[in-house]
Amino acid sequence: VEGITDGTGDVGSPEEATRKLLYHLHQLANLWQPVLSRQVYAEAMGRLLRHAADPLMNAVLGAEAIDVAATTRLHRIFKAFRDAEGGLFGGEVRSETPAQPTNSSESEGAAAALGAWWDRLCILGDLMVWSLNDIGDHLSKGTFRNLSAAELCRLLEAIFMDSPELRNTLKAVRHA
């Protein structure tokens, strides 16, 4: 994942770019939420958020190798997106983050605006810090339902060094 291991938190770093991006999305949220319906707002903000996150997600899914330093940084970047969810959607988006909707009918617009790509973003962030044992536990729970077996295998091969544990996990992914 080019550029992720080179930054140091400076102005041009991926973390700083993410922070600035999310700041501007929060500014838009403050302007739009009072005047747009919940559904229109959720769809518009969801599209912007996805447009911002897709290049990062595609780069991670296409990476041939992701070193330990990069996994730590990527986890922080994906976590920043997840942490922004509550401020952008009032905690009304269904996801695996701690904020859960209080009224399912009110959250339908936000959930529809985010959908499966949001789950993918959350999973990609988690994969950066999970062990192979954690991944095996989540595999049986259906956590990776929004990633294809090929995507998950490629990502695991990019993150983990070849080992019997990795080969067993890859085999389990292919047969799940």
Side-chain angles (χ1 to χ4, degrees):
V1 179
E2 226 170 285
I4 295 297
T5 58
D6 300 332
T8 59
D10 296 335
V11 174
S13 75
E15 290 94 335
E16 184 64 14
T18 301
R19 187 190 67 72
K20 287 180 177 184
L21 166 82
L22 294 172
Y23 169 81
H24 288 293
L25 290 179
H26 278 96
Q27 294 299 102
L28 285 174
N30 290 335
L31 295 171
W32 289 356
Q33 282 180 328
V35 296
L36 297 176
S37 70
R38 285 182 190 262
Q39 183 176 350
V40 169
Y41 169 80
E43 289 174 7
M45 186 57 68
R47 280 191 201 109
L48 287 176
L49 196 57
R50 182 175 184 173
H51 183 72
D54 270 352
L56 175 63
M57 292 170 45
N58 291 336
V60 168
L61 287 169
E64 291 185 23
I66 304 173
D67 65 28
V68 174
T71 60
T72 302
R73 296 186 75 198
L74 285 165
H75 176 71
R76 284 195 307 257
I77 292 168
F78 283 118
K79 186 177 181 318
F81 277 93
R82 289 176 77 167
D83 291 346
E85 172 197 358
L88 294 174
F89 296 96
E92 295 178 359
V93 178
R94 291 184 208 134
S95 71
E96 295 183 23
T97 58
Q100 293 296 317
T102 55
N103 183 331
S104 62
S105 65
E106 291 178 356
S107 67
E108 286 175 9
L114 297 183
W117 79 266
W118 181 255
D119 287 335
R120 288 169 60 92
L121 179 139
C122 294
I123 292 305
L124 290 176
D126 290 340
L127 279 169
M128 297 300 128
V129 294
W130 282 348
S131 69
L132 288 171
N133 286 336
D134 295 332
I135 292 164
D137 292 342
H138 284 277
L139 188 60
S140 64
K141 297 176 186 175
T143 301
F144 306 108
R145 67 190 167 279
N146 289 313
L147 290 175
S148 71
E151 287 174 321
L152 184 55
C153 286
R154 181 178 170 96
L155 187 56
L156 294 178
E157 289 170 332
I159 296 172
F160 295 98
M161 294 178 58
D162 189 32
S163 68
E165 293 84 8
L166 175 60
R167 289 190 294 276
N168 288 337
T169 302
L170 293 172
K171 185 177 178 181
V173 168
R174 290 182 183 111
H175 294 289

